[in-house]
Amino acid sequence: MLIVMQSSATNDEIEKVTEYIKQRGFDAHISKGEDHTVIGAVGRKVIDKRDIELLNGVKEVIRITSPYKLASRVFKNEDTIIEIKDVKIGGGHIGMIAGPCSVESYDQVDATAEKLKRYGVKILRGGAFKPRTSPYAFQGLGEEGLKILREVANKYDMLVTSEVMEVSQIPMFLKYVDILQVGARNMQNFNLLKSLGEIRKPVLLKRGLSATIEELLMSAEYLLAGGNREIILCERGIRTFEHMTRNTLDISAIPVIQKLSHLPIVVDPSHATGLRDKVAPMSKAAVAAGCDGLIIEVHNSPDTALCDGAQSLYPEQFEELFIELKQLAKVIKKTF
Ligand code: PEP
Ligand code: MN
C-alpha cells in the first residue's frame, strides 16, 4: 500500500503517518520525490485505507496490485541513481563495468586494469568465487582474488564489483568490493537476498537463467524490503531454444523494466551471447535501447583465460567499442 502525501505535507505530518502504520505492524519505506513524499507500507496485516486517508497531510492511499512494491515506479517515480564516488549509474548516466571473468593472478588483473583505466573505465569486474557448471572447472582464487582486485583497483583509482555466492561470504566482501554482484544462478537464493538487504552497499542483481522480469523485480524487492536502496538490475540473457548464442539477450527487458521500475538496468552482452564477435553489436543495441550500464568481459589474453575466454574482448577491441558507444550515447542524450 502506498500513502501519497500532499505536496504541502509537513515533516511532522509525514512522521505521524509513519508512526501510525508502524504501530499497526507495517514497515514504512519513505520516498521523497520532487513533488511529494510517498510512504510505502509493507506488511501482511489488514488495514482500512480510509482510516489512513483521514490523517492530516495524506492525499491518497493506493493499493498496489503488482507483487513488487518498493521496486515499482508507483512508489518512486524518479530514476534511482547509484552514486559511488564520482561514478553514477542511472538517470541518464550509463555506467561501464569491465574486466576479466575471473581473477587469475595479480599480473593478469593488473595488465587488464591498466588498459581499462586508460580507456576511461571506472569500475573493474572480476570473479573470485566462480559458480561453475562443472565441479572440475576453475573455481576462482577465493579471498586471495578479492585482495588482488582491491589492490589493483586502488592502484588505478577504480571501483570493484565481484560475485558473492553465499551469506557467510558477505562480511569478507564488504572489506574488498564497492558493488556486490548476485549471479544469475543465485537470483532466487532468498537467504542471500535477505542478508544483502541488510547491508548498505550497492548490489548488482543479475536476472536468473530462466527468470521472468517479474521474478527479477521480486528478487529486487527482497533487497529493498530489507532497506537497501542501492540496487542495480542486470539483464544477462535468458535460456531459450536458440543455441547459436550462449543465451538470448532480452533487449526488450530494458524498456519494459524502465517502465515498471525506477531501478537502473545494466546489460551483460558477454554472458548473453558467449561469443566475442557478438559483444559489440549487442552492446550498441543495449545502449540504443536505453540501458543504464554495461558489464563487459575483457581479458589481457583471452586465448589463455581460465574462464570465458571465447566471450572476452581483447583490450584493443574494447577500446574501439567504448569510443563508438560514447558517440552513440550522445544521440540518445545520455553520457558514460
Ligand atoms: C559473471 O558475471 O561472472 C557470471 C558468472 O555471470 P552470470 O551470473 O550472469 O552467469
Ligand atoms: Mn564469465
Side-chain angles (χ1 to χ4, degrees), residues 176-234:
Y176 301 108
V177 310
D178 302 290
I179 303 172
L180 289 88
Q181 191 174 315
V182 175
R185 289 153 194 82
N186 264 322
M187 190 203 83
Q188 286 189 319
N189 179 339
F190 299 116
N191 284 334
L192 183 61
L193 297 177
K194 278 182 193 164
S195 297
L196 290 171
E198 282 162 23
I199 66 166
R200 294 296 173 263
K201 256 195 185 182
V203 172
L204 178 81
L205 176 65
K206 294 190 122 189
R207 182 176 180 182
L209 274 67
S210 305
T212 64
I213 289 171
E214 186 165 285
E215 285 165 340
L216 172 64
L217 292 173
M218 288 308 294
S219 290
E221 189 77 11
Y222 265 90
L223 298 164
L224 294 165
N228 191 345
R229 296 292 180 89
E230 298 182 289
I231 312 305
I232 306 165
L233 304 172
C234 179

Side-chain angles (χ1 to χ4, degrees), residues 5 9-23 28 30 32 37 39 55-56:
M5 300 300 290
T10 63
N11 284 340
D12 190 46
E13 286 169 340
I14 295 169
E15 226 165 83
K16 285 207 171 112
V17 174
T18 307
E19 266 317 300
Y20 184 91
I21 55 168
K22 277 188 181 166
Q23 277 168 5
I30 297 178
K32 283 196 190 292
T37 295
I39 304 168
L55 300 174
N56 287 339

Side-chain angles (χ1 to χ4, degrees), residues 100-102 125-127 130-131 163 181-186 206-207 209 234 236 246-247 268 271 295 297 308:
C101 177
S102 314
R125 66 147 287 149
K130 296 302 300 176
E163 177 172 350
Q181 191 174 315
V182 175
R185 289 153 194 82
N186 264 322
K206 294 190 122 189
R207 182 176 180 182
L209 274 67
C234 179
R236 45 78 73 209
R246 184 173 176 184
N247 292 288
D268 176 346
H271 291 91
I295 175 165
E297 286 189 341
D308 287 348

